[in-house]
């Protein structure tokens, strides 16, 4: 028997003015996308913006449905939009932001488990880490150097 430690680290910025120009620009695109979210049921609007290594920025936002489970998260809308448009793409980073019309979202909102799993497929295939940058509407911003650092013991195609 042995005990193993899983270490993960993140950088926490106090506000967007501390981000690099590239990251701040990407977060602004995520904010613009968030404002176009279709979330009439949860009133929780999420926006995501993906930077590809060819410089393209692909955005997405959550799309809800009266049959609740048929809705989709912003991150998966964005990554599938990117994957379908640029099949051989390399994803450099994704910025995510969330805001609610019923409460103030002041804490960083990380991607849900299903979105982490979905994004991991792309990170593994491209053999290059995807930086994840996330925030609420205001407040601090978290940045991790890779998706897999947010998903230890993840499931991938090698198990099949
Ligand atoms: N949502 C996202 O878009 N991304 C996440 O990572 C977490 C949750 C959306 C789904 C739903 O439309 C709303 O937020 C409330 O769960």
């Amino acid at each position: 028997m042995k005990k193993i430690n899983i270490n993960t680290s993140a950088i926490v910025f106090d506000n967007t003015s501390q981000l690099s120009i590239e990251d701040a620009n990407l977060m602004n695109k995520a904010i613009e996308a968030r404002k176009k979210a279709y979330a009439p049921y949860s009133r929780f609007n999420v926006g995501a913006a993906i930077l590809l290594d060819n410089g393209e920025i692909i955005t997405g936002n959550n799309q809800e449905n009266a049959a609740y489970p048929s809705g989709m998260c912003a991150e998966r809308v964005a990554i599938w939009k990117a994957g379908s448009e640029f099949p051989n793409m390399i994803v450099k980073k994704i910025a995510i932001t969330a805001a609610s019309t019923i409460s103030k979202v002041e804490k960083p909102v990380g991607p849900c488990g299903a979105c982490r799993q979905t994004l991991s497929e792309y990170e593994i295939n491209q053999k290059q880490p995807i930086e994840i940058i996330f925030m609420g509407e205001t407040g601090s911003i978290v940045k991790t150097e890779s998706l897999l650092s947010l998903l230890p013991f993840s499931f991938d195609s090698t198990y099949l």
Side-chain angles (χ1 to χ4, degrees):
M1 189 181 80
K2 64 178 176 181
K3 182 180 171 191
I4 56 169
N5 292 318
I6 300 160
N7 293 313
T8 198
S9 65
I11 302 172
V12 181
F13 300 93
D14 298 328
N15 53 59
T16 48
S17 71
Q18 294 178 345
L19 296 176
S20 67
I21 292 171
E22 186 175 83
D23 290 0
N25 178 49
L26 196 64
M27 187 55 82
N28 280 335
K29 295 278 193 258
I31 292 168
E32 281 171 30
R34 189 192 75 210
K35 291 179 178 164
K36 293 185 268 186
Y38 177 65
Y41 306 106
S42 71
R43 308 212 176 267
F44 193 78
N45 301 307
V46 185
I50 289 172
L51 176 64
L52 304 183
D53 74 344
N54 65 4
E56 291 274 351
I57 291 178
I58 313 292
T59 62
N61 47 38
N62 50 333
Q63 296 292 316
E64 295 187 349
N65 193 282
Y68 293 177
S70 300
M72 186 45 63
C73 291
E75 297 91 324
R76 277 177 284 168
V77 169
I79 193 70
W80 287 334
K81 198 169 147 190
S84 59
E85 218 175 315
F86 301 95
N88 300 312
M89 66 182 182
I90 301 283
V91 176
K92 281 181 74 180
K93 47 184 83 175
I94 178 168
I96 304 156
T97 170
S100 166
T101 57
I102 43 187
S103 63
K104 264 254 166 270
V105 182
E106 291 166 332
K107 291 188 293 191
V109 178
C112 78
C115 287
R116 291 177 200 207
Q117 179 64 34
T118 302
L119 290 165
S120 76
E121 182 88 9
Y122 294 84
E123 180 168 289
I124 290 164
N125 284 347
Q126 71 181 23
K127 298 185 181 68
Q128 278 181 51
I130 300 174
E131 292 177 5
I132 317 289
I133 308 153
F134 55 90
M135 65 180 293
E137 182 179 8
T138 57
S140 58
I141 302 127
V142 174
K143 178 171 178 174
T144 67
E145 62 195 13
S146 78
L147 183 281
L148 289 174
S149 66
L150 293 176
L151 199 63
F153 298 110
S154 61
F155 184 81
D156 62 44
S157 64
T158 62
Y159 296 104
L160 298 174

